[in-house]
Amino acid sequence: MAADRPPNSPGAGALHTLAHAFGVDTEFEGRPVPETTLVAVLAAMGVDAGDDERADEALRGLHDRRAQRLLPRAVVVRAGRAEEVALPGAAEAWVELEDGGSVTLPTPFPRGAHRGEAGETRPIPADLPVGRHTLCARLGDRLAAAAPLLVAPDRLAGPQQRSWGFLVQLYSLLSERSWGMGDLGDLADLALWSGHTLGAGFVQVNPLHAGMPPGPDGHSDPSPYRPSSRRFADPVHLRVEAVPEYAYLTAEQRERVRDAALRGARLREGVLVEEALIDRDAVWAAKTEALRVLHAVPRSVGREAAYQAFLRREGDGLLQYATWCALAEVHGPTWRRWPGGLRDPGSAAVLRARAELAGRVDFHCWLAWLVDEQLGAAQDAARAAGMPLGLVHDLAVGVHPDGADAWALQYCLADGISAGAPPDAFNAHGQNWGLPPWRPDALADAGFAPFADLLRANLRHAGGLRVDHVMGLFRLWWVPEGRPPTEGTYVRYDPEAMLGVLALEAQRAGAIVIGEDLGTVEPGVREELEGRGVLGTSVLWFERDWSEQGGGSPLPPDRWREQCLATLTTHDLPSTAARLSGEHVELRHELGLLNKPLAEEQATADEEREEWLGELAREGLMTIPPYGEGPAADLLEPPDGRHLPEAVGALHRYLLRTPAKLVGVWLPDTVGDPRPQNLPGTSTEYPNWRLPIADANGKPTTLERLASAERTAELGAVLREG
């Protein structure tokens, strides 16, 4: 036993073999992963490897299960490609197609090659139709098996034409009709205006996933990237007045809804006039009051039929989500603290509670239906405005550990584990995102259905889907509970299966896929994504020529990749105005987030800005007199900020000169908003996810004022021209 191993730890051989069998890396950047981490990660996948004996026993059990298995747990293949599956040559095998037909698998290859634990390999017909089928096998009279067989498109088609579109955090986009935060009516109006007036081809919006209800302190987590459920959208985004039953309120009901609307109006004025932060909880309290009144209004025959059809379509997934919402109202949002029987969604106690809370459960099912309808209306508006894509939704990396998905899908999520990021040059301590990751073994056991379900839901009313941290389809950094991120390790997924499910659902929805592939990317990942037709994400400030000749200088526009969404910034980065003025450095200094002295950070930011302004001048996109005789950036800084809109326009012209299929325009950049929506590394220090879009002076603005602003018209002319 190695001297550095704690007492009773398993032998490295058995433990490491077991870890590799479950896709767990045992090294990171040449250093061994702590064995306590390996044991904890394996435990989260239901494997007890706490000492030598148990590790050996678990390894033997794994080998036995594989040897006894006639078929793999799930098979994912690409259409038109010759694929094989491990199967004894004596077994009968056939495919039951999802349309009801069947196809017999041919006999084994004559060479009898590629013997594995399950026997010889058998060819799967390359001409199987794209879809979710079932692979069946029988070995004599004693063994029969069935496994999901997913045939994915070989490659997604991608955008049919080049286009540009706005990137927006919906909550931040208030109109004169909003109840304190942006809603789906505002999203539809943004799409109609930008499509008809500016020729935009899409609107990419932040995750609209269902958020967490308030905790014991009366506040909820405002981050759209840490939701309660990724499958269902948040009813806080509903436009109350757009609910059809609103027209049939009685006088008494109308008065109650009017009172709620007045509360919403006060919240709106508080944000726009008094410059208060967006208060999602207060908005939801006002909307809940109105929606409970509307829920009591009888639905027409047609509306009732549509609701029942929605319930049938969503099935058990919706019922579990609505049950969690109802139970959270009674017992609080932390399901691990609920009475014992209620922690298991399949228990008899939950069935009894669902019957007792039937009215509450139906209310939450009804809300999910309304959101689905209004999302569909927003996408219809986008297409009516001539947008080739329309809405591009955003899929968060994971869910809140206390939320509805973590409760309903606990068999598929790693308990006691959080996804995060390893230490890197920007964060020596690594990151813990507080999101339980998928268990790769459990996903395979479930035929990847939970993953497909949430993709299908997010693609239903979308022309595209942005997948946050798309590298997570290949591997994720797992951090055991109670340990720092530095003591985590990578756990690998089946990228062929994950990408196959993604491609299958996207093709069926007629949608494109954009992968957020910024940051540390394992070699070969970007190439694999491009080969599958998944677009990448390119941010101007990070696009540099690292060849020997380039030396890290700005990458010329003609050398950018074509298969990407090209942007100037994202929700996690400084706005373009802040980057050009240098305000982002000052902000990070005020919050104690700089890694170097202020002067050094400012000098680096100035140098970066000078480089890009020089690149704009060389491309003939911006005249900066007298260029070469002093800091070009001086013309952009207060009080001489008159050239800043010109620089923003020039930067967008630069993006338009690249071959990028899609060009994204950060909506706050149209009016010069200097503030980031989210500042990584902060929680209470900065009002993340609670700021409305503001003008260059930091004054909150509305969709109406933004649409009529002179700066918006100037940038719109640049985009139309490009």
Side-chain angles (χ1 to χ4, degrees), residues 330-361:
V330 176
H331 300 286
T334 307
W335 61 268
R336 288 178 177 82
R337 298 177 185 170
W338 291 353
L342 299 180
R343 297 172 198 167
D344 176 4
S347 70
V350 168
L351 291 176
R352 288 193 298 271
R354 182 178 295 153
E356 294 166 1
L357 301 173
R360 293 177 187 256
V361 172

Side-chain angles (χ1 to χ4, degrees), residues 202-466:
F202 63 91
V203 174
Q204 179 182 300
V205 68
N206 63 285
L208 301 183
H209 308 320
M212 289 290 291
D217 62 355
H219 300 289
S220 63
D221 188 338
S223 172
Y225 290 92
R226 204 162 178 251
S228 173
S229 174
R230 291 190 291 174
R231 178 170 171 178
F232 298 98
D234 200 325
V236 76
H237 300 302
L238 285 170
R239 172 69 64 87
V240 172
E241 296 86 347
V243 177
E245 282 69 38
Y246 186 88
Y248 302 102
L249 292 166
T250 65
E252 185 271 335
Q253 289 172 328
R254 191 170 297 279
E255 189 64 25
R256 290 168 59 191
V257 172
R258 179 178 173 277
D259 289 343
L262 288 174
R263 289 170 58 190
R266 286 194 292 270
L267 289 168
R268 178 180 64 246
E269 294 305 306
V271 172
L272 297 175
V273 178
E274 301 169 18
E275 301 187 23
L277 296 175
I278 292 170
D279 188 340
R280 175 188 178 278
D281 298 323
V283 172
W284 179 232
K287 288 190 176 182
T288 301
E289 182 179 323
L291 289 165
R292 289 197 184 279
V293 176
L294 285 165
H295 184 232
V297 177
R299 292 180 284 275
S300 69
V301 172
R303 292 275 295 163
E304 181 61 27
Y307 178 45
Q308 294 301 322
F310 174 79
L311 294 178
R312 289 192 298 272
R313 186 188 79 192
E314 297 302 323
D316 288 341
L318 173 62
L319 196 57
Q320 288 187 329
Y321 163 73
T323 300
W324 181 91
C325 292
L327 288 170
E329 289 178 344
V330 176
H331 300 286
T334 307
W335 61 268
R336 288 178 177 82
R337 298 177 185 170
W338 291 353
L342 299 180
R343 297 172 198 167
D344 176 4
S347 70
V350 168
L351 291 176
R352 288 193 298 271
R354 182 178 295 153
E356 294 166 1
L357 301 173
R360 293 177 187 256
V361 172
D362 183 69
F363 177 64
H364 290 288
C365 288
W366 177 76
L367 291 176
W369 175 53
L370 294 183
V371 180
D372 184 76
E373 284 193 320
Q374 292 195 10
L375 279 170
Q379 175 65 350
D380 289 345
R383 290 296 178 87
M387 290 186 170
L389 293 177
L391 302 183
V392 176
H393 289 295
D394 198 349
L395 180 68
V397 177
V399 294
H400 197 290
D402 295 331
D405 282 4
W407 177 72
L409 299 174
Q410 54 190 278
Y411 66 95
C412 262
L413 298 175
D415 189 33
I417 299 289
S418 171
D424 57 28
F426 299 98
N427 194 326
H429 302 293
Q431 300 175 55
N432 183 327
W433 300 333
L435 307 170
W438 290 117
R439 281 178 51 177
D441 61 317
L443 268 184
D445 284 339
F448 300 94
F451 184 46
D453 288 343
L454 75 90
L455 290 172
R456 198 174 306 121
N458 283 272
L459 286 161
R460 182 164 290 116
H461 303 299
L465 182 68
R466 174 190 180 271

Side-chain angles (χ1 to χ4, degrees), residues 466-545:
R466 174 190 180 271
V467 180
D468 195 33
H469 193 69
V470 72
M471 298 83 78
L473 300 182
F474 294 77
R475 65 178 186 177
L476 268 178
W477 187 256
W478 284 28
V479 182
E481 186 176 359
R483 292 184 173 86
T486 51
E487 294 183 18
T489 188
Y490 275 116
V491 173
R492 297 182 178 273
Y493 294 79
D494 181 347
E496 190 67 28
M498 300 295 280
L499 289 172
V501 175
L502 176 60
L504 174 59
E505 296 301 332
Q507 186 186 77
R508 288 187 157 180
I512 66 161
V513 176
I514 302 167
E516 186 275 293
D517 57 352
L518 303 173
T520 302
V521 183
E522 193 176 18
V525 167
R526 285 197 175 102
E527 292 76 9
E528 178 65 21
L529 291 170
E530 183 172 350
R532 301 300 292 256
V534 176
L535 277 66
T537 302
S538 294
V539 176
L540 178 132
W541 308 97
F542 304 152
E543 291 297 309
R544 293 183 172 273
D545 182 1

Side-chain angles (χ1 to χ4, degrees), residues 673-695:
D673 190 344
R675 308 163 311 168
Q677 281 291 309
N678 177 51
L679 196 58
T682 65
S683 54
T684 58
E685 301 90 341
Y686 187 79
N688 295 318
W689 317 116
R690 290 174 289 167
L691 292 173
I693 295 175
D695 62 21

